[in-house]
Amino acid sequence: MTQTTSLQYEAPWPVYALDWCKSAAPGQSIRPRSAFRLGIASLTEDYRNRIAIVGLQDERVLVEDDYTEYPDFVTLVEAQHGYPATRLQWQPSTANSFAWSQKASSAELLATTGDALRVWEYSSDGAAAVSAYVGRQVSGGGHKLTLKTALSGQSKVQNNNTGAPLTSFSWNEKSPSLIVTSSIDTTCTVWNIDTSTAITQLIAHDREVYDVAWLPGSTDIFVSVGADGSLRAFDLRSLEHSTILYETPAPKNMPPPTSSPSSSARPPTSPLLRIAFNPADSNYMSTFHMDGTEVQILDMRSPGQPVMELKAHKAQVNALGWSSTDSQLLATAGDDCQLLLWELAPHTQAPAASPRNASTGLSSPRPDVKKRVLQDPWAAYTGAAEIANLAWSPHIASMTMNTGHTTAAGEWIAIAMGKSIKALKV
């Protein structure tokens, strides 16, 4: 018996947004099948986009070799989405114990952004999902994916009635009724998805906002990045001001400003596209520039410039994500077809003599310490095509199947390459 280290899924359409389920389906925590579910969304330039939930064809694909001619994943259920989803997320694991006012206890929530923030309810009756014929697409089978609510508030900065397109969102783990969205109209909006109301909307940047993230463990503080090249922090308790944690340096070979005042009033900066916190130590964040090949690691305690820069990609970076365990692994992926894993824990620890180190195991590099440049990832995987996006699984425990085989515990990463999705064991 060999342990499977990679799983494959071929979608009927190009995939962009994807996420790995954060917890097992209600009542199915002991089944490996329940831990291996992905939410995916299509990227086509029309109004016929789809979202889908895919799951294991058969649990034996995790441990047995003779299932190679069958697909590892099959579509469990799909739904119309209209415009492409810019982001898709499963509910945080904390959502199962949250007191929702109008969600069935057996159902799970997913959310997507596009022309609106949509919250979806997914329910399955578990046993019916097992197809009688290996290799056959699971049809219906008790899986339902229904649109619960679509939220697109009035925009602060535009006069038309519909909200501007949303670029991304972040789901609060501590209070799973809270979602913050980012928009091309320069705003961020905090929503209560349980009551379907906007709590607050603020003008966050000078230009489009491309990504947003809650500070882990907080229901008040979030950060955002955007086309103005800045990374900003906001606190819902004092919205009069924001804190600029980082601004991209102006391009070196800038042309002299032209005579027209509009172009010189706003100097060109390199937009920041994504922002993600290290869940194991939320002082650290990762970001990257549009068309950039490097990834910047920032420390909230010493803002202004990166404490680390990761230089190994040979083409533009498209996605990044941190492991949810204490391993502090950061995954980055890009147009060079590379998925790189970086082990940053050794570089975020102070010398053993430091008293700051004793309590947390981690401490900030002092502001006077020069920026570290890392060029050697801990692991690398070369895909068959450009990698558009990635998603980590949570830690999946070892499970014994009814065949007597035991699956190995650990984490997985799913990557999207055109219509192909590959799930790789870390």
Side-chain angles (χ1 to χ4, degrees):
M1 181 200 89
T2 55
Q3 293 282 346
T4 303
T5 56
S6 82
L7 300 166
Q8 179 90 14
Y9 175 73
E10 290 297 321
W13 18 255
V15 175
Y16 174 66
L18 84 160
D19 196 24
W20 200 294
C21 66
K22 309 284 194 294
S23 50
Q28 297 185 47
S29 52
I30 54 164
R31 304 305 306 152
R33 176 188 299 282
S34 187
F36 286 82
R37 296 173 302 156
L38 301 173
I40 61 174
S42 68
L43 177 58
T44 57
E45 291 182 13
D46 52 31
Y47 196 67
R48 296 201 301 272
N49 282 274
R50 316 276 296 168
I51 63 168
I53 292 174
V54 302
L56 289 183
Q57 152 79 21
D58 189 300
E59 291 173 352
R60 286 169 290 188
V61 299
L62 295 172
V63 289
E64 292 180 32
D65 291 336
D66 51 359
Y67 281 83
T68 46
E69 65 269 41
Y70 303 116
D72 297 322
F73 287 101
V74 290
T75 307
L76 301 176
V77 65
E78 57 179 297
Q80 284 278 36
H81 195 271
Y83 290 112
T86 51
R87 185 95 192 248
L88 176 150
Q89 283 184 55
W90 287 81
Q91 65 180 30
S93 54
T94 49
N96 283 330
S97 53
F98 185 78
W100 299 97
S101 65
Q102 39 201 327
K103 178 179 87 69
S105 59
S106 60
E108 297 170 88
L109 300 179
L110 289 90
T112 56
T113 43
D115 53 328
L117 168 65
R118 289 183 173 81
V119 181
W120 306 80
E121 203 164 84
Y122 168 59
S123 56
S124 69
D125 54 13
V130 185
S131 171
Y133 302 98
V134 178
R136 193 181 73 178
Q137 291 281 47
V138 179
S139 59
H143 292 260
K144 286 202 284 296
L145 182 61
T146 49
L147 179 60
K148 196 170 145 68
T149 170
L151 304 167
S152 61
Q154 284 252 279
S155 170
K156 263 192 179 177
V157 290
Q158 289 191 332
N159 298 328
N160 56 357
N161 290 330
T162 56
L166 302 174
T167 50
S168 188
F169 71 96
S170 178
W171 207 322
N172 195 293
E173 288 205 18
K174 199 172 171 188
S175 177
S177 59
L178 296 179
I179 282 181
V180 57
T181 56
S182 55
S183 170
I184 62 167
D185 70 2
T186 75
T187 67
C188 289
T189 306
V190 178
W191 303 90
N192 179 333
I193 58 165
D194 195 37
T195 57
S196 300
T197 52
I199 295 172
T200 187
Q201 184 182 58
L202 52 122
I203 294 173
H205 286 258
D206 301 330
R207 294 171 65 186
E208 299 92 334
V209 192
Y210 288 141
D211 199 14
V212 65
W214 289 103
L215 174 71
S218 171
T219 55
D220 297 300
I221 297 168
F222 63 88
V223 298
S224 61
V225 290
D228 60 8
S230 69
L231 161 61
R232 302 182 185 208
F234 299 89
D235 189 327
L236 295 180
R237 296 163 297 191
S238 57
L239 286 173
E240 307 79 65
H241 62 272
S242 64
T243 307
I244 295 183
L245 297 173
Y246 172 61
E247 281 187 293
T248 59
K252 291 185 181 71
N253 48 2
M254 244 178 80
T258 54
S259 53
S260 74
S262 61
S263 58
S264 60
R266 188 182 276 171
T269 55
S270 171
L272 292 171
L273 294 189
R274 293 283 172 265
I275 183 70
F277 278 100
N278 175 0
D281 181 351
S282 57
N283 289 303
Y284 293 100
M285 298 165 284
S286 53
T287 186
F288 59 87
H289 298 244
M290 183 181 280
D291 303 325
T293 57
E294 293 100 32
V295 171
Q296 286 76 31
I297 308 295
L298 299 146
D299 184 337
M300 267 193 145
R301 296 159 297 189
S302 48
Q305 67 160 354
V307 290
M308 276 179 266
E309 200 155 46
L310 314 181
K311 291 190 176 189
H313 283 287
K314 304 284 188 286
Q316 72 175 38
V317 177
N318 292 326
L320 48 73
W322 295 85
S323 151
S324 60
T325 65
D326 291 337
S327 66
Q328 295 207 55
L329 287 175
L330 173 67
T332 61
D335 274 359
D336 56 1
C337 312
Q338 293 275 312
L339 169 69
L340 304 179
L341 293 182
W342 304 85
E343 193 174 27
L344 299 182
H347 307 287
T348 54
Q349 282 166 352
S354 163
R356 290 180 300 173
N357 207 27
S359 59
T360 59
L362 291 170
S363 76
S364 162
R366 293 178 303 285
D368 55 323
V369 173
K370 268 180 56 192
K371 176 179 74 180
R372 271 206 172 103
V373 175
L374 303 185
Q375 294 175 307
D376 297 315
W378 174 73
Y381 169 82
T382 305
E386 293 92 345
I387 303 173
N389 214 341
L390 66 88
W392 282 87
S393 78
H395 178 83
I396 297 174
S398 165
M399 303 187 212
T400 304
M401 303 191 299
N402 42 20
T403 56
H405 295 125
T406 304
T407 63
E411 290 177 286
W412 293 68
I413 296 181
I415 53 174
M417 303 167 285
K419 293 182 177 181
S420 299
I421 290 174
K422 222 170 175 74
L424 304 162
K425 182 90 170 12
V426 176

